[in-house]
CSV table of all heavy atoms in Angstrom, one decimal:
chain,number,residue,atom,x,y,z
C,1,ASN,N,0.8,-1.2,0.0
C,1,ASN,CA,0.0,0.0,0.0
C,1,ASN,C,0.9,1.2,0.0
C,1,ASN,O,2.1,1.2,0.3
C,1,ASN,CB,-1.0,0.0,1.2
C,1,ASN,CG,-1.8,-1.2,1.2
C,1,ASN,OD1,-2.4,-1.6,0.2
C,1,ASN,ND2,-2.0,-1.9,2.4
C,2,THR,N,0.3,2.4,-0.3
C,2,THR,CA,1.0,3.6,-0.3
C,2,THR,C,0.4,4.7,0.6
C,2,THR,O,1.0,5.8,0.6
C,2,THR,CB,1.1,4.2,-1.8
C,2,THR,OG1,-0.3,4.4,-2.3
C,2,THR,CG2,1.8,3.2,-2.7
C,3,ILE,N,-0.7,4.4,1.2
C,3,ILE,CA,-1.3,5.4,2.1
C,3,ILE,C,-2.3,4.7,3.0
C,3,ILE,O,-2.7,3.6,2.6
C,3,ILE,CB,-2.0,6.6,1.3
C,3,ILE,CG1,-2.2,7.8,2.2
C,3,ILE,CG2,-3.4,6.1,0.7
C,3,ILE,CD1,-2.5,9.1,1.3
C,4,ARG,N,-2.7,5.3,4.1
C,4,ARG,CA,-3.6,4.6,5.0
C,4,ARG,C,-5.0,5.2,4.9
C,4,ARG,O,-5.2,6.3,4.5
C,4,ARG,CB,-3.1,4.8,6.5
C,4,ARG,CG,-1.8,4.0,6.8
C,4,ARG,CD,-1.7,4.0,8.3
C,4,ARG,NE,-0.5,3.1,8.7
C,4,ARG,CZ,0.7,3.6,9.0
C,4,ARG,NH1,0.8,4.9,9.1
C,4,ARG,NH2,1.6,2.9,9.3
C,5,LYS,N,-5.9,4.4,5.3
C,5,LYS,CA,-7.3,4.8,5.6
C,5,LYS,C,-7.3,5.5,6.9
C,5,LYS,O,-6.7,5.1,7.9
C,5,LYS,CB,-8.3,3.6,5.6
C,5,LYS,CG,-8.4,2.9,4.2
C,5,LYS,CD,-9.4,1.7,4.3
C,5,LYS,CE,-9.4,1.0,3.0
C,5,LYS,NZ,-10.4,-0.1,3.0
C,6,VAL,N,-8.1,6.6,7.0
C,6,VAL,CA,-8.1,7.5,8.2
C,6,VAL,C,-9.5,7.9,8.5
C,6,VAL,O,-10.4,7.7,7.8
C,6,VAL,CB,-7.2,8.7,8.0
C,6,VAL,CG1,-5.7,8.3,7.7
C,6,VAL,CG2,-7.7,9.6,6.8
C,7,ASN,N,-9.6,8.5,9.7
C,7,ASN,CA,-10.8,9.1,10.2
C,7,ASN,C,-11.3,10.1,9.1
C,7,ASN,O,-10.5,10.9,8.6
C,7,ASN,CB,-10.6,9.7,11.5
C,7,ASN,CG,-11.9,10.3,12.1
C,7,ASN,OD1,-12.4,11.3,11.7
C,7,ASN,ND2,-12.4,9.7,13.2
C,8,PRO,N,-12.6,10.2,8.9
C,8,PRO,CA,-13.1,11.2,7.8
C,8,PRO,C,-12.6,12.6,8.1
C,8,PRO,O,-12.4,13.3,7.1
C,8,PRO,CB,-14.6,11.0,7.9
C,8,PRO,CG,-14.8,9.6,8.5
C,8,PRO,CD,-13.7,9.4,9.4
C,9,GLU,N,-12.5,13.0,9.4
C,9,GLU,CA,-12.0,14.3,9.7
C,9,GLU,C,-10.6,14.6,9.1
C,9,GLU,O,-10.2,15.8,8.9
C,9,GLU,CB,-12.0,14.6,11.2
C,9,GLU,CG,-13.4,14.5,11.8
C,9,GLU,CD,-14.2,15.8,11.5
C,9,GLU,OE1,-13.9,16.8,12.2
C,9,GLU,OE2,-15.0,15.8,10.6
C,10,TYR,N,-9.8,13.5,8.9
C,10,TYR,CA,-8.4,13.6,8.5
C,10,TYR,C,-8.3,13.3,7.0
C,10,TYR,O,-7.1,13.3,6.5
C,10,TYR,CB,-7.5,12.6,9.2
C,10,TYR,CG,-7.4,12.9,10.7
C,10,TYR,CD1,-7.5,11.8,11.6
C,10,TYR,CD2,-7.2,14.1,11.2
C,10,TYR,CE1,-7.3,12.0,13.0
C,10,TYR,CE2,-7.0,14.4,12.6
C,10,TYR,CZ,-7.1,13.3,13.5
C,10,TYR,OH,-7.0,13.5,14.8
C,11,GLU,N,-9.4,13.0,6.3
C,11,GLU,CA,-9.3,12.6,4.9
C,11,GLU,C,-8.5,13.5,4.0
C,11,GLU,O,-7.6,13.0,3.2
C,11,GLU,CB,-10.7,12.4,4.4
C,11,GLU,CG,-10.7,11.9,2.9
C,11,GLU,CD,-10.2,10.4,2.7
C,11,GLU,OE1,-10.1,9.7,3.8
C,11,GLU,OE2,-9.8,10.1,1.6
C,12,HIS,N,-8.6,14.8,4.2
C,12,HIS,CA,-7.9,15.7,3.2
C,12,HIS,C,-6.4,15.8,3.6
C,12,HIS,O,-5.6,16.4,2.8
C,12,HIS,CB,-8.6,17.1,3.3
C,12,HIS,CG,-8.4,17.8,4.6
C,12,HIS,ND1,-9.0,17.4,5.8
C,12,HIS,CD2,-7.7,19.0,4.9
C,12,HIS,CE1,-8.7,18.2,6.7
C,12,HIS,NE2,-7.9,19.2,6.2
C,13,ILE,N,-6.0,15.3,4.8
C,13,ILE,CA,-4.6,15.3,5.2
C,13,ILE,C,-4.1,13.9,5.4
C,13,ILE,O,-3.2,13.7,6.2
C,13,ILE,CB,-4.3,16.2,6.4
C,13,ILE,CG1,-5.2,15.8,7.6
C,13,ILE,CG2,-4.5,17.7,6.1
C,13,ILE,CD1,-4.8,16.5,8.9
C,14,ARG,N,-4.7,13.0,4.7
C,14,ARG,CA,-4.3,11.6,4.9
C,14,ARG,C,-2.9,11.2,4.6
C,14,ARG,O,-2.3,10.3,5.2
C,14,ARG,CB,-5.3,10.6,4.2
C,14,ARG,CG,-5.3,10.7,2.7
C,14,ARG,CD,-6.5,9.9,2.1
C,14,ARG,NE,-6.5,9.9,0.7
C,14,ARG,CZ,-7.1,10.9,0.0
C,14,ARG,NH1,-7.6,12.0,0.6
C,14,ARG,NH2,-7.1,10.9,-1.4
C,15,ALA,N,-2.2,12.0,3.8
C,15,ALA,CA,-0.8,11.7,3.6
C,15,ALA,C,0.0,12.1,4.8
C,15,ALA,O,1.0,11.5,5.2
C,15,ALA,CB,-0.3,12.5,2.3
C,16,TRP,N,-0.4,13.2,5.4
C,16,TRP,CA,0.3,13.7,6.7
C,16,TRP,C,0.0,12.6,7.7
C,16,TRP,O,1.0,12.2,8.4
C,16,TRP,CB,-0.3,15.0,7.1
C,16,TRP,CG,0.3,15.6,8.3
C,16,TRP,CD1,0.3,15.2,9.6
C,16,TRP,CD2,1.1,16.8,8.3
C,16,TRP,NE1,1.0,16.0,10.4
C,16,TRP,CE2,1.6,17.0,9.6
C,16,TRP,CE3,1.5,17.7,7.3
C,16,TRP,CZ2,2.4,18.1,10.0
C,16,TRP,CZ3,2.3,18.8,7.6
C,16,TRP,CH2,2.7,19.0,8.9
C,17,ILE,N,-1.2,12.1,7.9
C,17,ILE,CA,-1.5,11.2,8.9
C,17,ILE,C,-0.7,9.8,8.6
C,17,ILE,O,-0.4,9.1,9.5
C,17,ILE,CB,-3.0,10.9,9.0
C,17,ILE,CG1,-3.8,12.2,9.3
C,17,ILE,CG2,-3.3,9.9,10.1
C,17,ILE,CD1,-3.4,12.9,10.5
C,18,SER,N,-0.4,9.6,7.4
C,18,SER,CA,0.2,8.4,6.9
C,18,SER,C,1.8,8.5,7.0
C,18,SER,O,2.5,7.6,6.4
C,18,SER,CB,-0.2,8.0,5.5
C,18,SER,OG,-1.6,7.8,5.5
C,19,SER,N,2.3,9.5,7.6
C,19,SER,CA,3.7,9.9,7.4
C,19,SER,C,4.6,9.2,8.4
C,19,SER,O,5.8,9.4,8.4
C,19,SER,CB,3.9,11.4,7.5
C,19,SER,OG,3.6,11.8,8.8
C,20,VAL,N,4.1,8.4,9.4
C,20,VAL,CA,4.9,7.7,10.3
C,20,VAL,C,4.6,6.2,10.4
C,20,VAL,O,3.5,5.8,9.9
C,20,VAL,CB,4.8,8.3,11.7
C,20,VAL,CG1,5.4,9.7,11.8
C,20,VAL,CG2,3.3,8.4,12.2
C,21,GLY,N,5.4,5.5,11.1
C,21,GLY,CA,5.1,4.1,11.3
C,21,GLY,C,6.2,3.1,10.8
C,21,GLY,O,6.3,2.0,11.4
C,22,ALA,N,7.1,3.5,9.9
C,22,ALA,CA,8.2,2.6,9.5
C,22,ALA,C,9.2,2.5,10.7
C,22,ALA,O,9.6,3.5,11.2
C,22,ALA,CB,8.9,3.2,8.3
C,23,ALA,N,9.5,1.3,11.1
C,23,ALA,CA,10.4,1.1,12.2
C,23,ALA,C,11.3,-0.1,12.0
C,23,ALA,O,11.0,-1.0,11.2
C,23,ALA,CB,9.5,0.9,13.5
C,24,ILE,N,12.4,-0.1,12.8
C,24,ILE,CA,13.3,-1.2,12.6
C,24,ILE,C,14.2,-1.3,13.9
C,24,ILE,O,14.5,-0.3,14.6
C,24,ILE,CB,14.2,-1.0,11.4
C,24,ILE,CG1,14.9,-2.4,11.0
C,24,ILE,CG2,15.3,0.1,11.6
C,24,ILE,CD1,15.3,-2.4,9.5
C,25,ALA,N,14.5,-2.6,14.3
C,25,ALA,CA,15.3,-2.8,15.4
C,25,ALA,C,16.2,-4.0,15.1
C,25,ALA,O,15.9,-4.9,14.3
C,25,ALA,CB,14.4,-3.1,16.6
C,26,VAL,N,17.3,-4.1,15.8
C,26,VAL,CA,18.3,-5.2,15.6
C,26,VAL,C,18.7,-5.7,17.0
C,26,VAL,O,18.9,-4.9,17.9
C,26,VAL,CB,19.5,-4.8,14.7
C,26,VAL,CG1,20.2,-3.7,15.4
C,26,VAL,CG2,20.4,-6.0,14.5
C,27,ASN,N,18.7,-7.0,17.1
C,27,ASN,CA,19.1,-7.6,18.4
C,27,ASN,C,19.3,-9.1,18.2
C,27,ASN,O,19.2,-9.6,17.1
C,27,ASN,CB,18.0,-7.4,19.5
C,27,ASN,CG,18.6,-7.2,20.8
C,27,ASN,OD1,19.3,-8.0,21.4
C,27,ASN,ND2,18.4,-5.9,21.4
């Protein structure tokens, strides 16, 4: 996917709301 589904109040800024979440850890 390239963007998330969001609350309707955020629909016009859904790219902004979709701008975080990628994460990585090593151990």
Side-chain angles (χ1 to χ4, degrees):
N1 300 316
T2 58
I3 202 164
R4 290 197 176 101
K5 296 179 180 180
V6 299
N7 184 287
E9 297 281 281
Y10 296 135
E11 180 66 18
H12 68 292
I13 55 170
R14 59 192 183 277
W16 186 291
I17 304 300
S18 302
S19 64
V20 292
I24 199 155
V26 61
N27 216 297

